PDB file of all heavy atoms in Angstrom:
ATOM      1  N   GLY C1494       4.176  -4.169  32.323  1.00  0.00           N
ATOM      2  CA  GLY C1494       3.506  -4.209  30.934  1.00  0.00           C
ATOM      3  C   GLY C1494       3.710  -2.793  30.365  1.00  0.00           C
ATOM      4  O   GLY C1494       3.869  -1.814  30.901  1.00  0.00           O
ATOM      5  N   VAL C1495       3.582  -2.842  28.920  1.00  0.00           N
ATOM      6  CA  VAL C1495       3.762  -1.562  28.235  1.00  0.00           C
ATOM      7  C   VAL C1495       2.399  -0.804  28.041  1.00  0.00           C
ATOM      8  O   VAL C1495       1.330  -1.412  28.201  1.00  0.00           O
ATOM      9  CB  VAL C1495       4.264  -1.819  26.754  1.00  0.00           C
ATOM     10  CG1 VAL C1495       5.648  -2.532  26.768  1.00  0.00           C
ATOM     11  CG2 VAL C1495       3.216  -2.723  25.939  1.00  0.00           C
ATOM     12  N   ASP C1496       2.564   0.441  27.912  1.00  0.00           N
ATOM     13  CA  ASP C1496       1.274   1.323  27.723  1.00  0.00           C
ATOM     14  C   ASP C1496       0.516   0.973  26.497  1.00  0.00           C
ATOM     15  O   ASP C1496      -0.658   1.021  26.470  1.00  0.00           O
ATOM     16  CB  ASP C1496       1.604   2.788  27.811  1.00  0.00           C
ATOM     17  CG  ASP C1496       2.387   3.205  29.095  1.00  0.00           C
ATOM     18  OD1 ASP C1496       1.797   2.796  30.166  1.00  0.00           O
ATOM     19  OD2 ASP C1496       3.478   3.784  29.012  1.00  0.00           O
ATOM     20  N   TYR C1497       1.367   0.807  25.425  1.00  0.00           N
ATOM     21  CA  TYR C1497       0.793   0.504  24.107  1.00  0.00           C
ATOM     22  C   TYR C1497       1.533  -0.677  23.422  1.00  0.00           C
ATOM     23  O   TYR C1497       2.755  -0.570  23.431  1.00  0.00           O
ATOM     24  CB  TYR C1497       0.911   1.690  23.163  1.00  0.00           C
ATOM     25  CG  TYR C1497       0.203   2.866  23.733  1.00  0.00           C
ATOM     26  CD1 TYR C1497       0.930   3.929  24.441  1.00  0.00           C
ATOM     27  CD2 TYR C1497      -1.163   3.183  23.564  1.00  0.00           C
ATOM     28  CE1 TYR C1497       0.403   5.040  25.060  1.00  0.00           C
ATOM     29  CE2 TYR C1497      -1.760   4.369  24.161  1.00  0.00           C
ATOM     30  CZ  TYR C1497      -0.958   5.221  24.908  1.00  0.00           C
ATOM     31  OH  TYR C1497      -1.585   6.297  25.480  1.00  0.00           O
ATOM     32  N   SER C1498       0.879  -1.623  22.869  1.00  0.00           N
ATOM     33  CA  SER C1498       1.426  -2.563  22.042  1.00  0.00           C
ATOM     34  C   SER C1498       0.778  -2.652  20.751  1.00  0.00           C
ATOM     35  O   SER C1498      -0.453  -2.444  20.509  1.00  0.00           O
ATOM     36  CB  SER C1498       1.435  -3.992  22.674  1.00  0.00           C
ATOM     37  OG  SER C1498       0.120  -4.440  22.811  1.00  0.00           O
ATOM     38  N   LEU C1499       1.669  -2.920  19.647  1.00  0.00           N
ATOM     39  CA  LEU C1499       1.035  -3.008  18.325  1.00  0.00           C
ATOM     40  C   LEU C1499       1.418  -4.272  17.660  1.00  0.00           C
ATOM     41  O   LEU C1499       2.689  -4.598  17.610  1.00  0.00           O
ATOM     42  CB  LEU C1499       1.584  -1.787  17.510  1.00  0.00           C
ATOM     43  CG  LEU C1499       1.063  -0.474  18.056  1.00  0.00           C
ATOM     44  CD1 LEU C1499       2.223   0.338  18.652  1.00  0.00           C
ATOM     45  CD2 LEU C1499       0.346   0.339  16.950  1.00  0.00           C
ATOM     46  N   GLU C1500       0.552  -5.125  17.226  1.00  0.00           N
ATOM     47  CA  GLU C1500       0.821  -6.372  16.547  1.00  0.00           C
ATOM     48  C   GLU C1500       0.963  -6.165  15.035  1.00  0.00           C
ATOM     49  O   GLU C1500      -0.125  -5.674  14.388  1.00  0.00           O
ATOM     50  CB  GLU C1500      -0.253  -7.404  16.823  1.00  0.00           C
ATOM     51  CG  GLU C1500       0.205  -8.816  16.493  1.00  0.00           C
ATOM     52  CD  GLU C1500       0.146  -9.326  15.085  1.00  0.00           C
ATOM     53  OE1 GLU C1500      -0.408  -8.505  14.148  1.00  0.00           O
ATOM     54  OE2 GLU C1500       0.520 -10.399  14.749  1.00  0.00           O
ATOM     55  N   CYS C1501       2.104  -6.274  14.436  1.00  0.00           N
ATOM     56  CA  CYS C1501       2.295  -5.939  12.981  1.00  0.00           C
ATOM     57  C   CYS C1501       2.822  -7.251  12.203  1.00  0.00           C
ATOM     58  O   CYS C1501       3.732  -7.138  11.461  1.00  0.00           O
ATOM     59  CB  CYS C1501       3.241  -4.811  12.818  1.00  0.00           C
ATOM     60  SG  CYS C1501       2.673  -3.262  13.621  1.00  0.00           S
ATOM     61  N   VAL C1502       2.293  -8.387  12.691  1.00  0.00           N
ATOM     62  CA  VAL C1502       2.800  -9.676  12.058  1.00  0.00           C
ATOM     63  C   VAL C1502       1.667 -10.308  11.232  1.00  0.00           C
ATOM     64  O   VAL C1502       1.937 -10.736  10.150  1.00  0.00           O
ATOM     65  CB  VAL C1502       3.283 -10.612  13.177  1.00  0.00           C
ATOM     66  CG1 VAL C1502       3.812 -11.952  12.616  1.00  0.00           C
ATOM     67  CG2 VAL C1502       4.448  -9.985  13.973  1.00  0.00           C
ATOM     68  N   GLY C1503       0.460 -10.376  11.873  1.00  0.00           N
ATOM     69  CA  GLY C1503      -0.542 -11.091  11.216  1.00  0.00           C
ATOM     70  C   GLY C1503      -0.624 -12.554  11.716  1.00  0.00           C
ATOM     71  O   GLY C1503      -1.070 -13.488  10.958  1.00  0.00           O
ATOM     72  N   ASN C1504      -0.448 -12.844  13.075  1.00  0.00           N
ATOM     73  CA  ASN C1504      -0.316 -14.082  13.520  1.00  0.00           C
ATOM     74  C   ASN C1504      -1.155 -14.088  14.863  1.00  0.00           C
ATOM     75  O   ASN C1504      -0.880 -13.245  15.781  1.00  0.00           O
ATOM     76  CB  ASN C1504       1.143 -14.448  13.879  1.00  0.00           C
ATOM     77  CG  ASN C1504       1.295 -15.692  14.617  1.00  0.00           C
ATOM     78  OD1 ASN C1504       0.593 -16.049  15.633  1.00  0.00           O
ATOM     79  ND2 ASN C1504       2.306 -16.497  14.208  1.00  0.00           N
ATOM     80  N   VAL C1505      -2.095 -14.879  15.011  1.00  0.00           N
ATOM     81  CA  VAL C1505      -3.129 -14.817  16.119  1.00  0.00           C
ATOM     82  C   VAL C1505      -2.478 -15.124  17.445  1.00  0.00           C
ATOM     83  O   VAL C1505      -2.875 -14.516  18.453  1.00  0.00           O
ATOM     84  CB  VAL C1505      -4.329 -15.686  16.001  1.00  0.00           C
ATOM     85  CG1 VAL C1505      -5.252 -15.299  14.829  1.00  0.00           C
ATOM     86  CG2 VAL C1505      -3.901 -17.151  15.819  1.00  0.00           C
ATOM     87  N   GLN C1506      -1.298 -15.860  17.567  1.00  0.00           N
ATOM     88  CA  GLN C1506      -0.596 -16.056  18.757  1.00  0.00           C
ATOM     89  C   GLN C1506       0.096 -14.776  19.110  1.00  0.00           C
ATOM     90  O   GLN C1506       0.154 -14.421  20.379  1.00  0.00           O
ATOM     91  CB  GLN C1506       0.425 -17.224  18.691  1.00  0.00           C
ATOM     92  CG  GLN C1506      -0.112 -18.656  18.976  1.00  0.00           C
ATOM     93  CD  GLN C1506      -0.861 -19.218  17.935  1.00  0.00           C
ATOM     94  OE1 GLN C1506      -0.387 -19.113  16.653  1.00  0.00           O
ATOM     95  NE2 GLN C1506      -1.971 -19.941  18.148  1.00  0.00           N
ATOM     96  N   VAL C1507       0.642 -14.044  18.210  1.00  0.00           N
ATOM     97  CA  VAL C1507       1.342 -12.910  18.544  1.00  0.00           C
ATOM     98  C   VAL C1507       0.380 -11.800  18.891  1.00  0.00           C
ATOM     99  O   VAL C1507       0.658 -10.924  19.837  1.00  0.00           O
ATOM    100  CB  VAL C1507       2.147 -12.374  17.402  1.00  0.00           C
ATOM    101  CG1 VAL C1507       2.999 -11.095  17.668  1.00  0.00           C
ATOM    102  CG2 VAL C1507       3.173 -13.521  16.870  1.00  0.00           C
ATOM    103  N   MET C1508      -0.852 -11.817  18.319  1.00  0.00           N
ATOM    104  CA  MET C1508      -1.847 -10.781  18.763  1.00  0.00           C
ATOM    105  C   MET C1508      -2.204 -11.068  20.290  1.00  0.00           C
ATOM    106  O   MET C1508      -2.421 -10.154  20.992  1.00  0.00           O
ATOM    107  CB  MET C1508      -3.066 -11.021  17.933  1.00  0.00           C
ATOM    108  CG  MET C1508      -3.008 -10.565  16.456  1.00  0.00           C
ATOM    109  SD  MET C1508      -4.220 -11.115  15.393  1.00  0.00           S
ATOM    110  CE  MET C1508      -3.609 -10.749  13.749  1.00  0.00           C
ATOM    111  N   ARG C1509      -2.300 -12.293  20.702  1.00  0.00           N
ATOM    112  CA  ARG C1509      -2.603 -12.637  22.078  1.00  0.00           C
ATOM    113  C   ARG C1509      -1.354 -12.164  22.852  1.00  0.00           C
ATOM    114  O   ARG C1509      -1.676 -11.452  23.966  1.00  0.00           O
ATOM    115  CB  ARG C1509      -2.835 -14.086  22.290  1.00  0.00           C
ATOM    116  CG  ARG C1509      -3.069 -14.446  23.731  1.00  0.00           C
ATOM    117  CD  ARG C1509      -3.382 -15.868  23.996  1.00  0.00           C
ATOM    118  NE  ARG C1509      -3.463 -16.086  25.424  1.00  0.00           N
ATOM    119  CZ  ARG C1509      -4.207 -17.069  25.953  1.00  0.00           C
ATOM    120  NH1 ARG C1509      -4.834 -17.953  25.219  1.00  0.00           N
ATOM    121  NH2 ARG C1509      -4.221 -17.193  27.263  1.00  0.00           N
ATOM    122  N   SER C1510      -0.215 -12.408  22.507  1.00  0.00           N
ATOM    123  CA  SER C1510       0.984 -12.019  23.289  1.00  0.00           C
ATOM    124  C   SER C1510       1.062 -10.469  23.462  1.00  0.00           C
ATOM    125  O   SER C1510       1.375 -10.023  24.509  1.00  0.00           O
ATOM    126  CB  SER C1510       2.345 -12.459  22.500  1.00  0.00           C
ATOM    127  OG  SER C1510       2.352 -13.709  22.430  1.00  0.00           O
ATOM    128  N   ALA C1511       0.725  -9.764  22.313  1.00  0.00           N
ATOM    129  CA  ALA C1511       0.742  -8.402  22.334  1.00  0.00           C
ATOM    130  C   ALA C1511      -0.258  -7.835  23.386  1.00  0.00           C
ATOM    131  O   ALA C1511       0.077  -6.882  24.101  1.00  0.00           O
ATOM    132  CB  ALA C1511       0.468  -7.713  20.946  1.00  0.00           C
ATOM    133  N   LEU C1512      -1.527  -8.343  23.421  1.00  0.00           N
ATOM    134  CA  LEU C1512      -2.409  -7.971  24.316  1.00  0.00           C
ATOM    135  C   LEU C1512      -1.961  -8.206  25.805  1.00  0.00           C
ATOM    136  O   LEU C1512      -2.070  -7.378  26.637  1.00  0.00           O
ATOM    137  CB  LEU C1512      -3.766  -8.675  24.071  1.00  0.00           C
ATOM    138  CG  LEU C1512      -4.845  -8.344  25.116  1.00  0.00           C
ATOM    139  CD1 LEU C1512      -5.461  -6.951  24.994  1.00  0.00           C
ATOM    140  CD2 LEU C1512      -6.045  -9.439  25.132  1.00  0.00           C
ATOM    141  N   GLU C1513      -1.400  -9.422  26.015  1.00  0.00           N
ATOM    142  CA  GLU C1513      -0.948  -9.813  27.375  1.00  0.00           C
ATOM    143  C   GLU C1513       0.255  -8.950  27.761  1.00  0.00           C
ATOM    144  O   GLU C1513       0.617  -8.884  29.014  1.00  0.00           O
ATOM    145  CB  GLU C1513      -0.722 -11.305  27.418  1.00  0.00           C
ATOM    146  CG  GLU C1513      -1.875 -12.105  27.266  1.00  0.00           C
ATOM    147  CD  GLU C1513      -1.764 -13.619  27.379  1.00  0.00           C
ATOM    148  OE1 GLU C1513      -0.568 -14.031  27.486  1.00  0.00           O
ATOM    149  OE2 GLU C1513      -2.759 -14.321  27.207  1.00  0.00           O
ATOM    150  N   SER C1514       0.942  -8.388  26.838  1.00  0.00           N
ATOM    151  CA  SER C1514       2.088  -7.598  27.187  1.00  0.00           C
ATOM    152  C   SER C1514       1.792  -6.252  27.642  1.00  0.00           C
ATOM    153  O   SER C1514       2.594  -5.414  28.135  1.00  0.00           O
ATOM    154  CB  SER C1514       3.140  -7.417  25.902  1.00  0.00           C
ATOM    155  OG  SER C1514       3.458  -8.680  25.596  1.00  0.00           O
ATOM    156  N   SER C1515       0.470  -5.730  27.337  1.00  0.00           N
ATOM    157  CA  SER C1515       0.158  -4.458  27.736  1.00  0.00           C
ATOM    158  C   SER C1515      -0.305  -4.469  29.067  1.00  0.00           C
ATOM    159  O   SER C1515      -0.629  -5.378  29.719  1.00  0.00           O
ATOM    160  CB  SER C1515      -1.152  -3.897  26.804  1.00  0.00           C
ATOM    161  OG  SER C1515      -2.156  -4.671  27.036  1.00  0.00           O
ATOM    162  N   ALA C1516      -0.150  -3.179  29.768  1.00  0.00           N
ATOM    163  CA  ALA C1516      -0.303  -3.155  31.279  1.00  0.00           C
ATOM    164  C   ALA C1516      -1.715  -3.304  31.662  1.00  0.00           C
ATOM    165  O   ALA C1516      -2.659  -2.789  31.080  1.00  0.00           O
ATOM    166  CB  ALA C1516       0.145  -1.688  31.564  1.00  0.00           C
ATOM    167  N   GLN C1517      -1.792  -4.155  32.766  1.00  0.00           N
ATOM    168  CA  GLN C1517      -3.089  -4.322  33.443  1.00  0.00           C
ATOM    169  C   GLN C1517      -3.566  -2.921  33.856  1.00  0.00           C
ATOM    170  O   GLN C1517      -2.747  -2.161  34.413  1.00  0.00           O
ATOM    171  CB  GLN C1517      -2.865  -5.244  34.562  1.00  0.00           C
ATOM    172  CG  GLN C1517      -4.159  -5.791  35.207  1.00  0.00           C
ATOM    173  CD  GLN C1517      -3.790  -6.721  36.182  1.00  0.00           C
ATOM    174  OE1 GLN C1517      -2.756  -7.453  36.160  1.00  0.00           O
ATOM    175  NE2 GLN C1517      -4.769  -6.957  37.183  1.00  0.00           N
ATOM    176  N   GLY C1518      -4.757  -2.594  33.746  1.00  0.00           N
ATOM    177  CA  GLY C1518      -5.249  -1.275  34.234  1.00  0.00           C
ATOM    178  C   GLY C1518      -5.597  -0.283  33.151  1.00  0.00           C
ATOM    179  O   GLY C1518      -6.607   0.276  33.126  1.00  0.00           O
ATOM    180  N   TRP C1519      -4.616  -0.201  32.174  1.00  0.00           N
ATOM    181  CA  TRP C1519      -4.835   0.807  31.026  1.00  0.00           C
ATOM    182  C   TRP C1519      -4.226   0.522  29.760  1.00  0.00           C
ATOM    183  O   TRP C1519      -4.285   1.309  28.873  1.00  0.00           O
ATOM    184  CB  TRP C1519      -4.269   2.201  31.623  1.00  0.00           C
ATOM    185  CG  TRP C1519      -2.755   2.082  31.939  1.00  0.00           C
ATOM    186  CD1 TRP C1519      -1.659   2.054  30.969  1.00  0.00           C
ATOM    187  CD2 TRP C1519      -2.082   2.025  33.109  1.00  0.00           C
ATOM    188  NE1 TRP C1519      -0.561   1.987  31.509  1.00  0.00           N
ATOM    189  CE2 TRP C1519      -0.670   1.912  32.925  1.00  0.00           C
ATOM    190  CE3 TRP C1519      -2.500   1.896  34.448  1.00  0.00           C
ATOM    191  CZ2 TRP C1519       0.234   1.793  33.965  1.00  0.00           C
ATOM    192  CZ3 TRP C1519      -1.664   1.824  35.487  1.00  0.00           C
ATOM    193  CH2 TRP C1519      -0.228   1.732  35.228  1.00  0.00           C
ATOM    194  N   GLY C1520      -3.482  -0.579  29.669  1.00  0.00           N
ATOM    195  CA  GLY C1520      -2.725  -0.933  28.375  1.00  0.00           C
ATOM    196  C   GLY C1520      -3.680  -1.015  27.167  1.00  0.00           C
ATOM    197  O   GLY C1520      -4.875  -1.350  27.374  1.00  0.00           O
ATOM    198  N   VAL C1521      -3.153  -0.407  26.081  1.00  0.00           N
ATOM    199  CA  VAL C1521      -3.989  -0.499  24.837  1.00  0.00           C
ATOM    200  C   VAL C1521      -3.144  -1.349  23.837  1.00  0.00           C
ATOM    201  O   VAL C1521      -2.006  -1.108  23.594  1.00  0.00           O
ATOM    202  CB  VAL C1521      -4.095   0.921  24.193  1.00  0.00           C
ATOM    203  CG1 VAL C1521      -4.769   0.912  22.915  1.00  0.00           C
ATOM    204  CG2 VAL C1521      -4.925   1.889  25.287  1.00  0.00           C
ATOM    205  N   SER C1522      -3.845  -2.322  23.197  1.00  0.00           N
ATOM    206  CA  SER C1522      -3.122  -3.137  22.224  1.00  0.00           C
ATOM    207  C   SER C1522      -3.885  -3.002  20.875  1.00  0.00           C
ATOM    208  O   SER C1522      -5.158  -3.084  20.855  1.00  0.00           O
ATOM    209  CB  SER C1522      -3.127  -4.659  22.770  1.00  0.00           C
ATOM    210  OG  SER C1522      -2.356  -5.312  21.894  1.00  0.00           O
ATOM    211  N   VAL C1523      -3.095  -2.926  19.895  1.00  0.00           N
ATOM    212  CA  VAL C1523      -3.729  -2.695  18.523  1.00  0.00           C
ATOM    213  C   VAL C1523      -3.393  -3.812  17.616  1.00  0.00           C
ATOM    214  O   VAL C1523      -2.222  -4.114  17.375  1.00  0.00           O
ATOM    215  CB  VAL C1523      -3.306  -1.328  17.948  1.00  0.00           C
ATOM    216  CG1 VAL C1523      -4.023  -1.025  16.564  1.00  0.00           C
ATOM    217  CG2 VAL C1523      -3.613  -0.174  18.870  1.00  0.00           C
ATOM    218  N   ILE C1524      -4.310  -4.434  16.923  1.00  0.00           N
ATOM    219  CA  ILE C1524      -4.066  -5.474  15.916  1.00  0.00           C
ATOM    220  C   ILE C1524      -3.928  -4.762  14.581  1.00  0.00           C
ATOM    221  O   ILE C1524      -4.852  -4.088  14.198  1.00  0.00           O
ATOM    222  CB  ILE C1524      -5.141  -6.497  15.845  1.00  0.00           C
ATOM    223  CG1 ILE C1524      -5.260  -7.232  17.154  1.00  0.00           C
ATOM    224  CG2 ILE C1524      -5.034  -7.380  14.648  1.00  0.00           C
ATOM    225  CD1 ILE C1524      -6.418  -8.210  17.187  1.00  0.00           C
ATOM    226  N   VAL C1525      -2.779  -4.874  13.973  1.00  0.00           N
ATOM    227  CA  VAL C1525      -2.590  -4.249  12.715  1.00  0.00           C
ATOM    228  C   VAL C1525      -2.299  -5.403  11.520  1.00  0.00           C
ATOM    229  O   VAL C1525      -2.809  -5.244  10.446  1.00  0.00           O
ATOM    230  CB  VAL C1525      -1.348  -3.376  12.661  1.00  0.00           C
ATOM    231  CG1 VAL C1525      -1.226  -2.505  11.374  1.00  0.00           C
ATOM    232  CG2 VAL C1525      -1.363  -2.380  13.795  1.00  0.00           C
ATOM    233  N   GLY C1526      -1.625  -6.477  11.978  1.00  0.00           N
ATOM    234  CA  GLY C1526      -1.338  -7.530  11.062  1.00  0.00           C
ATOM    235  C   GLY C1526      -2.641  -8.182  10.603  1.00  0.00           C
ATOM    236  O   GLY C1526      -3.636  -8.224  11.325  1.00  0.00           O
ATOM    237  N   TRP C1527      -2.650  -8.686   9.301  1.00  0.00           N
ATOM    238  CA  TRP C1527      -3.896  -9.178   8.742  1.00  0.00           C
ATOM    239  C   TRP C1527      -3.979 -10.684   8.640  1.00  0.00           C
ATOM    240  O   TRP C1527      -2.917 -11.345   8.195  1.00  0.00           O
ATOM    241  CB  TRP C1527      -3.942  -8.661   7.366  1.00  0.00           C
ATOM    242  CG  TRP C1527      -5.148  -9.207   6.584  1.00  0.00           C
ATOM    243  CD1 TRP C1527      -5.333 -10.223   5.690  1.00  0.00           C
ATOM    244  CD2 TRP C1527      -6.533  -8.707   6.751  1.00  0.00           C
ATOM    245  NE1 TRP C1527      -6.575 -10.483   5.357  1.00  0.00           N
ATOM    246  CE2 TRP C1527      -7.367  -9.543   5.904  1.00  0.00           C
ATOM    247  CE3 TRP C1527      -7.113  -7.706   7.452  1.00  0.00           C
ATOM    248  CZ2 TRP C1527      -8.750  -9.423   5.852  1.00  0.00           C
ATOM    249  CZ3 TRP C1527      -8.582  -7.622   7.341  1.00  0.00           C
ATOM    250  CH2 TRP C1527      -9.318  -8.343   6.441  1.00  0.00           C
ATOM    251  N   THR C1528      -5.052 -11.250   9.072  1.00  0.00           N
ATOM    252  CA  THR C1528      -5.411 -12.646   8.819  1.00  0.00           C
ATOM    253  C   THR C1528      -6.805 -12.818   8.967  1.00  0.00           C
ATOM    254  O   THR C1528      -7.495 -12.224   9.795  1.00  0.00           O
ATOM    255  CB  THR C1528      -4.555 -13.688   9.665  1.00  0.00           C
ATOM    256  OG1 THR C1528      -4.867 -14.944   9.311  1.00  0.00           O
ATOM    257  CG2 THR C1528      -4.820 -13.560  11.180  1.00  0.00           C
ATOM    258  N   ASP C1529      -7.328 -13.743   8.203  1.00  0.00           N
ATOM    259  CA  ASP C1529      -8.789 -14.026   8.185  1.00  0.00           C
ATOM    260  C   ASP C1529      -8.847 -15.587   8.305  1.00  0.00           C
ATOM    261  O   ASP C1529      -9.851 -16.180   7.919  1.00  0.00           O
ATOM    262  CB  ASP C1529      -9.468 -13.493   6.977  1.00  0.00           C
ATOM    263  CG  ASP C1529     -10.939 -13.457   7.261  1.00  0.00           C
ATOM    264  OD1 ASP C1529     -11.429 -13.299   8.419  1.00  0.00           O
ATOM    265  OD2 ASP C1529     -11.761 -13.275   6.236  1.00  0.00           O
ATOM    266  N   LEU C1530      -7.789 -16.215   8.727  1.00  0.00           N
ATOM    267  CA  LEU C1530      -7.748 -17.659   8.705  1.00  0.00           C
ATOM    268  C   LEU C1530      -8.045 -18.360  10.043  1.00  0.00           C
ATOM    269  O   LEU C1530      -8.490 -19.499  10.090  1.00  0.00           O
ATOM    270  CB  LEU C1530      -6.399 -18.180   8.179  1.00  0.00           C
ATOM    271  CG  LEU C1530      -5.995 -17.742   6.775  1.00  0.00           C
ATOM    272  CD1 LEU C1530      -4.548 -18.139   6.460  1.00  0.00           C
ATOM    273  CD2 LEU C1530      -6.905 -18.397   5.766  1.00  0.00           C
TER     274      LEU C1530
END
Side-chain angles (χ1 to χ4, degrees):
V1495 297
D1496 300 311
Y1497 302 95
S1498 65
L1499 297 111
E1500 198 277 358
C1501 304
V1502 178
N1504 173 316
V1505 291
Q1506 269 82 40
V1507 182
M1508 291 170 188
R1509 177 177 177 158
S1510 301
L1512 175 72
E1513 291 179 2
S1514 303
S1515 68
Q1517 191 172 337
W1519 61 78
V1521 173
S1522 188
V1523 181
I1524 296 176
V1525 188
W1527 176 263
T1528 183
D1529 200 19
L1530 297 174

